[in-house]
Amino acid sequence: MAKKGKLMNLFDLTFMAIGGIIGAGIFSSVGSGIAVTGRSITLALIVGMLFQMSQQVRYVFTSAMFQVSGGMYSQDALVLNPLLTGAAGVMLFINALNWSVYGISIASYMGDLFPVLKGYPELTACAALLVFFVIGYIGVQAFTKVLNAMGILKFIALGLFIFYGITKVQPGGFEGEPYFYGGGVDFLTAIALMSFACGGATKIMNVQALAENPKRDIPKAWLISQLCVVVVYALLGYVASGVAPYAQVADQNLGAIGGMFMPVAVTSFFIIGGALLSISTSLLSSVPGTPLTLMGMADDGWLPSIFKNRLFIFILLYIINIVPIMSGFALDEIISMVMVPSMIVTAIKNYRGMKLPEMYPEEWEHCSIKVSKGLFKTLLAISIVTSLITSLFSLRNLTMVQAIGSLIMTVVVFVYPYLRLKSGKVKIVSTTDMSATAESK
């Protein structure tokens, strides 16, 4: 364990959570959302954030009750049977494929800044990922300092986008464009797509072992970050969808939209300070915690013992993420393919999580978040509904081949842990409460 002074405090965790949310999703997929639902992208972002918050509720409560070394994986293991615990762990592994989205997004914006790079998007994306993997590997002090500095510049850039754009918005739209451009079904599809842009706050759940007071600070950082981001997202969506006719802003990234109304110098700063840094902080928020999760899975036997080696995990995750980049996958394809199995597994996990108060009555009694059992279970019931809606409408966004691939991925999520259990190599030990263990010594 690192010395106390080197651990993450509430400020660090809040910036990490905000950085985890505001990133590749909002800057790269908001144009796709506008294409689907038009000016109602603002409402889609707000609802998408509420969907994500509902789906993350159980992690917030378990973070307030336990301090476990394996992050979200170990929190899942607290409430799931062994098979479902393995499935949840495999899904967390698969979710790391989303990191390729960040590389692709960075390459897109770098191409706007330096036209010479437009001809080498794959190499640019791979180089960008490598830089952040190195920063994440160095340790807590390195990535928290970088995150906090990037976070300040990012908010200045986003503020400039809103400041310059909000007076240019046409409240009544252009040429009578309807608010729900593609109808109700397409609005739900936009919510599913924007859910990716609204996720990311749970990345702080994976760094419990790196936090000063995780049971108190992680739930606080989660709530503060969500409230800050939903306001920023609502304003970004309002400006992005209202400064120009639908045909001009649909399928455009925020950098291109900003260029329609901001001075050239401000646009350049926005691309660097807003787009690139937001994507970078989102990526950097992911990198340090996931290896801890995979190491917890290795401790329990779901993964070979070589996964206890942190350097090996970093190298493997880097290789896995450059494969979709070099294969030419589009952003929305990667997002939707991963969202389908992810939301199915999330629904199952939250259904099982309803028993949390009964399974751990003493920890529930001392939980820093005080609500009734009935309210807790109601929140999880809402999360199950939102998870299934997100999965269904993410599937609608895929081609037949991609949908089949996504369903195969879903099957693998359950088959692999079944086979691993049959091998007799699994013994779950990563659910030990670290703080309780420390107090007993």
Side-chain angles (χ1 to χ4, degrees):
M1 179 68 71
K3 292 181 181 180
K4 194 76 171 177
K6 295 182 179 180
L7 298 180
M8 301 177 71
N9 57 30
L10 177 60
F11 181 84
D12 296 328
L13 290 167
T14 301
F15 262 77
M16 184 178 184
I18 291 173
I21 305 171
I22 303 178
I26 188 65
F27 282 91
S28 300
S29 63
V30 69
S32 299
I34 293 173
V36 173
T37 196
R39 293 172 59 81
S40 50
I41 187 64
T42 303
L43 185 57
L45 282 164
I46 294 173
V47 176
M49 181 66 75
L50 293 175
F51 272 32
Q52 277 290 338
M53 291 179 72
S54 73
Q55 292 155 17
Q56 298 166 9
V57 163
R58 181 179 56 83
Y59 285 122
V60 178
F61 277 88
T62 49
S63 293
M65 294 167 63
F66 301 91
Q67 181 184 354
V68 286
S69 60
M72 292 167 67
Y73 159 73
S74 295
Q75 292 181 33
D76 289 336
L78 289 167
V79 297
L80 301 178
N81 62 34
L83 176 62
L84 293 176
T85 296
V90 172
M91 195 62 246
L92 289 171
F93 198 166
I94 291 176
N95 276 332
L97 286 171
N98 281 338
W99 296 354
S100 58
V101 173
Y102 305 136
I104 294 169
S105 300
I106 291 172
S108 172
Y109 283 102
M110 289 294 289
D112 292 337
L113 285 173
F114 307 103
V116 68
L117 297 178
K118 280 189 176 291
Y120 309 96
E122 293 86 3
L123 292 177
T124 304
C126 292
L129 282 182
L130 180 60
V131 170
F132 290 103
F133 268 70
V134 171
I135 295 173
Y137 179 76
I138 291 174
V140 175
Q141 286 184 309
F143 78 77
T144 53
K145 287 180 180 178
V146 174
L147 267 177
N148 294 343
M150 286 183 171
I152 294 171
L153 290 173
K154 174 173 62 178
F155 275 110
I156 293 173
L158 294 175
L160 288 172
F161 182 93
I162 295 168
F163 173 77
Y164 277 97
I166 201 161
T167 58
K168 306 290 194 305
V169 172
Q170 298 292 324
F174 296 85
E175 300 176 2
E177 292 174 357
Y179 197 70
F180 292 91
Y181 188 80
V185 173
D186 279 354
F187 175 68
L188 290 173
T189 302
I191 291 174
L193 185 60
M194 290 302 100
S195 289
F196 173 76
C198 298
T202 50
K203 291 166 186 175
I204 60 174
M205 314 298 176
N206 288 329
V207 295
Q208 283 190 305
L210 306 178
E212 288 180 358
N213 193 336
K215 291 183 181 180
R216 180 197 67 191
D217 290 345
I218 285 180
K220 286 184 179 180
W222 177 84
L223 181 59
I224 293 169
S225 65
Q226 302 278 10
L227 295 177
C228 291
V229 173
V230 73
V231 174
V232 173
Y233 271 16
L235 292 172
L236 284 177
Y238 176 71
V239 171
S241 62
V243 294
Y246 171 87
Q248 295 181 30
V249 295
D251 286 321
Q252 298 295 318
N253 63 45
L254 285 183
I257 296 173
M260 298 176 185
F261 59 84
M262 292 192 297
V264 174
V266 177
T267 301
S268 297
F269 176 75
F270 175 75
I271 292 175
I272 298 173
L276 281 175
L277 292 190
S278 291
I279 295 168
S280 298
T281 54
S282 186
L283 173 59
L284 198 55
S285 296
S286 305
V287 171
T290 299
L292 296 176
T293 295
L294 299 183
M295 291 168 73
M297 292 179 65
D299 287 338
D300 289 354
W302 296 111
L303 297 172
S305 59
I306 194 172
F307 278 84
K308 297 179 183 180
N309 184 309
R310 186 166 170 266
L311 178 59
F312 168 80
I313 295 175
F314 270 84
I315 294 173
L316 179 63
L317 288 175
Y318 177 73
I319 293 172
I320 289 174
N321 275 279
I322 66 175
V323 170
I325 292 174
M326 302 307 293
S327 300
F329 277 85
L331 283 169
D332 57 347
E333 294 171 355
I334 297 173
I335 293 170
S336 295
M337 287 183 69
V338 174
M339 287 295 284
V340 173
S342 178
M343 290 299 100
I344 291 174
V345 172
T346 297
I348 295 172
K349 290 189 297 186
N350 285 335
Y351 172 73
R352 299 278 300 192
M354 287 185 176
K355 299 179 180 179
L356 185 68
E358 288 77 22
M359 295 175 69
Y360 304 98
E362 183 177 347
E363 289 82 358
W364 174 263
E365 184 67 26
H366 293 94
C367 180
S368 59
I369 307 173
K370 302 298 182 182
V371 300
S372 67
K373 293 180 182 179
L375 177 57
F376 172 73
K377 294 181 179 182
T378 299
L379 292 173
L380 289 191
I382 294 172
S383 78
I384 294 169
V385 174
T386 61
S387 297
L388 294 176
I389 291 174
T390 303
S391 180
L392 176 63
F393 285 92
S394 293
L395 187 63
R396 182 177 180 269
N397 198 45
L398 298 175
T399 66
M400 181 58 68
V401 173
Q402 293 164 359
I404 292 172
S406 186
L407 292 176
I408 291 174
M409 188 186 302
T410 304
V411 172
V412 170
V413 165
F414 292 95
V415 171
Y416 174 81
Y418 172 79
L419 296 176
R420 196 71 179 175
L421 278 171
K422 294 284 287 185
S423 72
K425 297 179 180 179
V426 176
K427 183 180 179 182
I428 298 176
V429 297
S430 65
T431 55
T432 302
D433 192 319
M434 295 166 60
S435 60
T437 302
E439 290 168 2
S440 66
K441 291 183 178 180

